[in-house]
Amino acid sequence: MRTGSEPVTARSALRLRFWLSLWGLIWAGAGAAAFALAARFGWAAACAAIAVVAAVDLAVVLHHIRQGPHYQPGRDVPPYEPPEQR
């Protein structure tokens, strides 16, 4: 059902974001370790920064998943109504 307010009431695919964040965290951590062992500290720092961003995103996604159906509704939950204009 389209209401015309999709950008306001959009839902995120949290399970997909969870797996993509985990995948990014693993690869960025491995890249940081590999570059550190190769004495390429600039690249290691860049990969470590990406790993930190992926870890923060993973924590946010897990927090939203644990909050229940408000952030992860099932197919039987209709779209939220858009907020009233003031």
Side-chain angles (χ1 to χ4, degrees), residues 5-65:
S5 65
E6 280 76 19
V8 176
T9 59
R11 299 176 185 169
S12 177
L14 291 177
R15 289 184 192 102
L16 177 64
R17 274 183 61 192
F18 169 79
W19 289 112
L20 289 174
S21 294
L22 186 62
W23 183 254
L25 180 63
I26 291 169
W27 277 101
F35 281 124
L37 289 174
R40 306 286 259 172
F41 299 112
W43 285 103
C47 285
I50 293 171
V52 168
V53 169
V56 168
D57 185 47
L58 191 61
V60 168
V61 168
L62 286 174
H63 176 70
H64 285 175
I65 287 174

Side-chain angles (χ1 to χ4, degrees), residues 61-75:
V61 168
L62 286 174
H63 176 70
H64 285 175
I65 287 174
R66 288 184 181 141
Q67 284 185 326
H70 176 70
Y71 282 100
Q72 189 68 12
R75 292 180 186 265

